């Protein structure tokens, strides 16, 4: 196993409920380290660019609207197999199918308002991190 970095986003449904600290605690307890973090509000353009891979999916427009509806917390997480580890800690996309003890089972409201994003591959992690952070903002 190698030390790796992944991009995490705490989504607007979670910032709205003031549970960012609870989510960060679950990431840290799961073995990941926050090496970069900032709270932002995305423009429509930024959200569209980030989710470009989904642009032909039926949920794309609603997803962009949701992700621009309030503040989000962007993070770079570091740890052993960080991409896969974070996906385990997050749980399945649909909170109704997420395993017990996962962030989405605990906090997700529905398949869209599912509290967190996590990169789905090391390649996408690198792209997403580069899109959201300057190298100088990442302090390992
Ligand atoms: N999403 C949605 N409806 C769906 C599937 C996904 O609104 O039917 C949203 C949801 O917020 C999800 C995001 O689009 O987290 C990206 O979808 P993906 O399939 O990449 O899931 P993830 O990698 O986030 O588990």
């Amino acid at each position: 196993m190698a030390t790796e970095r992944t991009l995490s986003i705490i989504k607007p449904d979670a910032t709205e409920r003031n549970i960012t600290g609870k989510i960060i605690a679950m990431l840290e307890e799961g073995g990941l380290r926050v090496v970069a973090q900032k709270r932002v509000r995305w423009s429509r353009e930024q959200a569209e660019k980030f989710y470009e891979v989904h642009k032909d999916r039926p949920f794309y427009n609603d997803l962009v609207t949701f992700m621009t509806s309030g503040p989000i917390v962007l993070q770079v997480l570091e740890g052993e197999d960080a991409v896969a580890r974070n996906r385990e800690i997050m749980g399945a996309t649909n909170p109704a199918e997420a395993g017990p003890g996962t962030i989405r089972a605990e906090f997700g409201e529905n398949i869209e308002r599912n509290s967190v994003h996590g990169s789905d591959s090391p390649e996408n992690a690198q792209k997403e991190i580069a899109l959201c952070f300057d190298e100088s903002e990442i302090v390992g």
Side-chain angles (χ1 to χ4, degrees):
M1 287 201 287
T3 298
E4 200 173 63
R5 286 176 175 175
T6 190
L7 186 87
S8 162
I9 306 177
I10 302 178
K11 295 185 177 182
D13 66 282
T15 59
E16 187 184 351
R17 283 175 287 154
N18 203 25
I19 53 172
T20 60
K22 287 181 180 165
I23 290 173
I24 294 165
M26 288 172 80
L27 298 170
E28 290 179 341
E29 279 155 19
L32 298 172
R33 182 173 289 268
V34 180
V35 295
Q37 180 164 273
K38 60 187 172 190
R39 183 176 168 102
V40 301
R41 183 157 179 174
W42 269 347
S43 65
R44 220 172 154 87
E45 212 171 33
Q46 285 172 303
E48 283 172 357
K49 184 158 191 204
F50 186 86
Y51 281 115
E52 204 162 21
V53 292
H54 292 313
K55 69 174 185 301
D56 296 326
R57 310 281 288 278
F59 58 82
Y60 177 71
N61 255 309
D62 286 347
L63 176 61
V64 168
T65 300
F66 165 54
M67 290 300 289
T68 56
S69 68
I72 57 175
V73 179
L74 303 172
Q75 303 172 309
V76 179
L77 306 178
E78 188 176 85
E80 293 279 306
D81 274 339
V83 172
R85 184 77 197 104
N86 186 38
R87 301 282 300 184
E88 283 170 12
I89 299 167
M90 287 161 53
T93 308
N94 185 350
E97 290 163 13
T102 62
I103 293 171
R104 284 167 164 173
E106 191 93 350
F107 298 119
E109 295 180 336
N110 56 49
I111 196 166
E112 176 182 77
R113 298 171 62 87
N114 57 6
S115 305
V116 280
H117 166 85
S119 310
D120 63 3
S121 69
E123 298 70 37
N124 284 338
Q126 282 192 2
K127 284 187 207 156
E128 292 177 358
I129 290 169
L131 202 58
C132 298
F133 287 94
D134 276 344
E135 196 53 45
S136 64
E137 294 176 301
I138 305 170
V139 185

